[in-house]
Structures are given as structure tokens and as C-alpha cells.
Amino acid sequence: MRRTITGMVLLMLLGAGACRSGQDAAFNQPLEALLELDSTRVGISTVVSDLNVPWEIAWGPDNQIWYTEQSGTISNADPHTGVKKLLLTIPEVYRQRTLGLLGMAISADKAQPYVFVDYTHLQKDSTIVSRLVRYTYTMDTLKDPLVLLELPGNTGHNGSRVAISPDGKIILSTGDAANGDHAPDTNFINGKTLRLNFDGSIPADNPYPGSPIWSRGHRNIQGMVFTTSGHLFASEHGDAVDDELNLIQRKAFYGWPRVEGFADRPDEKAYADSFPFTAPLKAWTPTIAPAGVDYYGAHNIPEWYNSILLGTLKAASLRVLALNPAQESVTTEHIYFSGKFGRLRDICVSPEGDVYIATSNRDWNPGKGFPLQHDDRIIRLSALRANDKIPAGLPVEKAATAPVAAATKGASIYKSYCEACHKTEGKGVPGSFPALDQNALVTGNSASLIQTVIQGRTGASKAKNSPYGEQMPAFGFLKDEDIAAVTSYVRNSWNNHADSIAVSVVTQTRKKLTGNVSDEKK
């Protein structure tokens, strides 16, 4: 069921009992906490620690946990002992912020397994590209690299998840490379899912003859997994709103950049009337920054059977998305570990039903209080049996309860839409997101601040005006009273001491920006 390996094939290859706490071989790592579900107790332990941003974790042909690190290495770890082994260093990897060695998939052919990786590379002319490369795995060695595909990259939005389909094809997600207009256009392979043969050639039954494109209209897919029914699910980053979980289908169009989520704005509805699109199964606003996914089809944790497991970065939580029997829709969502382990980058389910989660707290945008001393880690969740000995005094985790209301409306809006980039203390991220604390734009002319919030910023003016080149999404969808609340909040937080902004000022500024203002007021 794992996105990188066809589950039933792997079970037959490896045999039952590849990894089960307290059954086939005891794990050496001590329990650190418990998760209590309706009828199941789940033990929580750390398998490996002190990693350099593990971006992909997968179950390998050697019954080990394989993982990529963003800095350019592929390693494996024994799930029982935690012993790590370096398999390969790729010197061509270009690591910067979200760039580096990213996705990985392992074929299920035990006689001749291939390993497919996707990484960013800096050309001699300083242009960024993404590369899909195939390695041959033999006797703990990855050799004979073959570049299957090279496509335009950017400083962000590179996609890069890799999966193996049940019919033995490579599926690669490509981000829009910060150019949304390329996502729907079949002349470009950015903003797509691509389907290739193992040698990099294009399958004859692809929907667009001679093209690797399988689906289009994607912003930045961050997780992919095939379920037992053969359905491909993908998690995707939205802009300011509407992170998505999509069911990927042949030749489908998913709307980006003209439609986000369910086409519930007037402009989106008008566009969808002329250009039909495939709506997501689920969308999140405020955004949660969904990351890696896996399918849970084991019975060890019956509460999670037939679910998509989703890690999140901004929300720093594990989401369990239960599917209907046909595996075509999401029926419920449960949230676990909010903020406990920090950013969760990827998930791997072992053949025996243990869940492994990779943290991402040493990446470019860690949350408050992270990284911890031994981050990053790979954490195991394993169902406990009735007779397992549980140390006294372990912390107990449960599903998240409803969040406590924020002290003010402005603080609540800030937490939902701004905090992930500009941080709790308003300090931002050096080189990416500016500090709001003692920022002249924040404390100066209110109209300039309101315009920035409503219209966003493209990031194109970095060299001219600021060292910060990251795009800022437009928040014009917020109500005038919400914009007034959040701008007033940032103008009076930290070391800022500026006048609050009235709703009427936001309303008037919005009218001027849209040209909807009477002549005597122009």
C-alpha cells in the first residue's frame, strides 16, 4: 500500500512479520509516549535522530527504512536497532531553502530493484532544474545513475514526489515553479503529474501522445500514494487558501491557477463554467501545509483502517483521513500530535502496519520551539498488545480537541494566515519572509499596508527594494473587518506602536484599488 512500493507485491516478497513490535522481534527503542484511541493503545518511540531534514521515507527491499536527506544523501536504518547506514551521496544536489534531494521511490522487483530520486541541481549558468534519476540497487550499493528527465525548477514550488503505479510506471509530481500560467498549459511539464516508463520513455497509453503529462493544473503537490484500489491520492499546497487532497485521474484538470479548492468565489465559478475542472476531495482554509501521505490498510490500528495518513508542516500534525469503501471520498478527519513533534514531512507504513513519521524541524522554516536537540527524527507508532509492559508515567496523547479561541480576533487571524511565515514573535525568516516587528511598512501609512494585504506581492521586486524575495499571497478574500483586525494587531504587537486601522479605512482603500469609488472621492 506504500506509495513507493505496491503493497501486496511487497508483502509476498518480504513475507509476513517484517516489522511488528513485540511479535517477531522486539524493538530496542524505549517508549516515549502513548496514543490512546477508541480501542487501541499505540506506542510512540524514536527510531533514528540527528537527521538533516529527511524528505522521503520508504520501506526498502532489505526490510529497512530508507530515507533521503535534503542535503543530498540516501541512507537506511534498521527499524529494530536504529542503526543507520549511508548508501549514497549525490554531489550534484543543490540545497537551498526548499531545494535539495527530495522525493524517492523504490520499485518492487526484488530481482532487480530500481531506486528513483528527484533533486534540484544548479546549472553552470545558475539556472535551477529538477532531475529525475534512476539508480540500480545491488548488494547495498546504488549505482549506474541514469537521468530520466530534467525540467525547469525555481527557488520554490518544485513538487518532486515520486511514486510507482500498480502497472509499473513512474509518477512524478512537478510544481508550477512559481509560474502558475504553466500549470494548465500542456506545452509545459511544470504544474503536472507525469507518467513515465522505468527507462524514461513515454508510455503509449498516456493521454497526450508523445507527452509525459498525466494530469494538469497543480500548484505544488507534496505527497502521493496509491491505495489498494489503485487510486492515486495527492496532497497539494494552496496559496493563501485551499490546501487540497486530490484524487488524481487520467487527463484531469485541477484548476490552478484560476480555481482554488471548490470554485466557491464568483470569478472561480465563472471560469469553471467555461473550463470544467476536477474538484478536490478535501480542502483546508486556513491552510495547513500538507506534506507526505501514505495509505493505511493494516488492521493493527483498526481505527485507522482504510485511511490516508497525512503529515502537515504549518499545522504540525498528523491527519487521519478515513475513506469510503470505494476509496473515492473522505468520510472523516481526525487530528493528532498538534505541535508535539513539530513539522511532519513524510509518512511510511511498514508491511506489518507500523507507522513511521519523519520530522522536518531543521528545514528553512521551523516552528516556535523547534528544532529540538536531536531533531530531525523518524518516529514510530506501533500498536501495543494487551500484555505489553508499559512504563509508568508515560505522557498520553489523544485526538485533538477543538482549539481554544484566541484572545482577540486579530490574533486569531494572524495565527491562521500569517504566523507560519512571519512567526509568533513577528521576526520572520531571514532572507525569505520579512520581520513585521519594527517594520516601516507595518507602522507607516495604513493604505500601503492594506494594499499589500489585499493584493499580495509577487517577489519580483527583491533586488530593488528588499532582501526578501518570497511571494506573498493576496488576502483580498478576507472581509474588511478581518483585514482591519489583523492589521491593527500587527501594528500594536511586539515593539510596534501605531494607530489601529478602522474598518471604514479598509473599505475605502479597497474601493480605490478596484476603481469602485465615486468621482468626488478620487
Side-chain angles (χ1 to χ4, degrees):
M1 297 74 168
R2 173 64 181 149
R3 63 183 171 279
T4 52
I5 308 174
T6 303
M8 295 307 296
V9 175
L10 182 61
L11 286 172
M12 290 187 288
L13 290 174
L14 300 182
C19 175
R20 171 67 166 89
S21 176
Q23 180 172 309
D24 297 308
F27 294 120
N28 291 344
Q29 300 89 356
L31 291 178
E32 300 169 6
L34 296 176
L35 172 63
E36 287 189 351
L37 304 176
D38 291 342
S39 62
T40 309
R41 291 184 306 170
V42 178
I44 304 170
S45 56
T46 297
V47 181
V48 290
S49 56
D50 300 300
L51 302 181
N52 189 358
V53 190
W55 210 89
E56 181 90 47
I57 53 176
W59 197 261
D62 51 2
N63 293 350
Q64 309 283 294
I65 305 166
W66 286 43
Y67 57 93
T68 64
E69 290 177 276
Q70 206 172 338
S71 51
T73 60
I74 302 174
S75 304
N76 64 17
D78 188 317
H80 300 281
T81 65
V83 173
K84 298 178 286 188
K85 180 177 182 179
L86 177 65
L87 298 176
L88 180 70
T89 299
I90 305 175
E92 295 85 3
V93 169
Y94 175 55
R95 166 77 183 279
Q96 183 187 37
R97 295 194 329 116
T98 64
L99 311 183
L101 175 56
L102 305 175
M104 174 178 65
I106 307 170
S107 71
D109 186 352
K110 193 174 182 179
Q112 184 55 79
Y114 289 119
V115 177
F116 303 91
V117 299
D118 189 87
Y119 61 82
T120 49
H121 175 68
L122 190 65
Q123 307 274 52
K124 290 182 179 179
D125 62 358
S126 297
T127 59
I128 297 169
V129 295
S130 285
R131 283 180 175 174
L132 176 66
V133 182
R134 187 191 77 185
Y135 288 87
T136 301
Y137 175 66
T138 305
M139 299 293 291
D140 284 346
T141 301
L142 292 171
K143 62 180 184 179
D144 302 328
L146 176 65
V147 177
L148 303 182
L149 184 69
E150 189 171 278
L151 66 150
N154 207 320
T155 54
H157 298 205
N158 291 293
S160 301
R161 285 294 179 189
V162 192
I164 306 296
S165 67
D167 63 349
K169 306 299 182 184
I170 308 165
I171 307 295
L172 172 68
S173 72
T174 68
D176 67 4
N179 189 333
D181 290 339
H182 288 177
D185 192 337
T186 55
N187 292 310
F188 300 91
I189 58 176
N190 290 99
K192 312 292 192 299
T193 63
L194 308 180
R195 182 172 179 261
L196 298 166
N197 294 315
F198 277 13
D199 62 359
S201 62
I202 297 172
D205 58 346
N206 270 15
Y208 303 94
S211 170
I213 295 173
W214 186 251
S215 67
R216 61 192 180 95
H218 300 289
R219 182 174 182 268
N220 195 21
I221 288 177
Q222 291 290 288
M224 293 195 300
V225 63
F226 281 95
T227 65
T228 51
S229 65
H231 292 155
L232 176 60
F233 288 81
S235 62
E236 185 163 352
H237 282 184
D239 194 8
V241 295
D242 289 312
D243 286 338
E244 298 177 349
L245 180 73
N246 286 299
L247 177 58
I248 303 299
Q249 302 178 65
R250 182 182 189 272
K251 208 175 181 178
F253 171 52
Y254 291 86
W256 177 256
R258 298 296 298 274
V259 177
E260 300 177 80
F262 298 102
D264 46 12
R265 299 195 309 263
D267 61 315
E268 293 178 326
K269 292 177 181 178
Y271 179 84
D273 286 342
S274 300
F275 301 95
F277 80 107
T278 300
L281 298 183
K282 190 168 181 63
W284 291 269
T285 299
T287 56
I288 60 174
V293 294
D294 207 345
Y295 174 72
Y296 195 82
H299 293 279
N300 298 33
I301 307 176
E303 294 89 343
W304 294 356
Y305 176 73
N306 192 37
S307 293
I308 298 295
L309 307 185
L310 167 68
T312 68
L313 301 171
K314 176 182 173 182
S317 61
L318 170 68
R319 308 292 174 110
V320 178
L321 306 170
L323 302 177
N324 70 338
Q327 300 177 354
E328 294 174 339
S329 64
V330 174
T331 58
T332 61
E333 176 183 16
H334 290 92
I335 304 173
Y336 303 92
F337 311 128
S338 294
K340 179 176 178 61
F341 301 118
R343 293 159 65 85
L344 305 184
R345 175 68 64 177
D346 198 25
I347 297 173
C348 168
V349 178
S350 77
E352 280 298 312
D354 294 318
V355 178
Y356 294 86
I357 303 173
T359 69
S360 190
N361 296 319
R362 293 194 181 276
D363 64 18
W364 69 290
N365 193 20
K368 183 180 181 180
F370 292 93
L372 302 178
Q373 182 178 1
H374 292 292
D375 279 337
D376 277 313
R377 299 184 285 160
I378 296 177
I379 298 163
R380 178 176 47 245
L381 309 179
S382 183
L384 302 177
R385 299 174 301 181
N387 60 346
D388 283 339
K389 295 181 178 180
I390 309 299
L394 286 180
V396 177
E397 299 289 326
K398 295 185 179 181
T401 56
V404 178
T408 68
K409 185 176 185 179
S412 178
I413 296 170
Y414 182 84
K415 184 173 181 62
S416 295
Y417 294 106
C418 313
E419 186 177 282
C421 298
H422 298 292
K423 303 305 174 186
T424 306
E425 304 86 355
K427 299 299 184 183
V429 177
S432 297
F433 301 114
L436 301 185
D437 185 22
Q438 302 182 73
N439 184 308
L441 175 64
V442 172
T443 58
N445 182 275
S446 61
S448 297
L449 176 60
I450 295 168
Q451 179 178 346
T452 299
V453 172
I454 291 175
Q455 295 184 334
R457 286 189 167 184
T458 65
S461 59
K462 172 179 178 180
K464 181 179 178 181
N465 298 324
S466 166
Y468 300 97
E470 186 72 15
Q471 292 178 330
M472 175 181 165
F475 290 91
F477 61 88
L478 291 175
K479 297 177 180 178
D480 289 354
E481 54 264 37
D482 292 339
I483 293 177
V486 72
T487 53
S488 296
Y489 172 77
V490 299
R491 283 165 67 88
N492 289 278
S493 294
W494 315 299
N495 294 299
N496 296 338
H497 304 286
D499 293 338
S500 296
I501 296 176
V503 176
S504 59
V505 175
V506 177
T507 301
Q508 187 65 22
T509 304
R510 191 193 293 269
K511 287 181 178 180
K512 290 181 178 179
L513 294 175
T514 59
N516 184 19
V517 61
S518 59
D519 289 339
E520 64 268 20
K521 292 183 179 180
K522 286 184 179 179

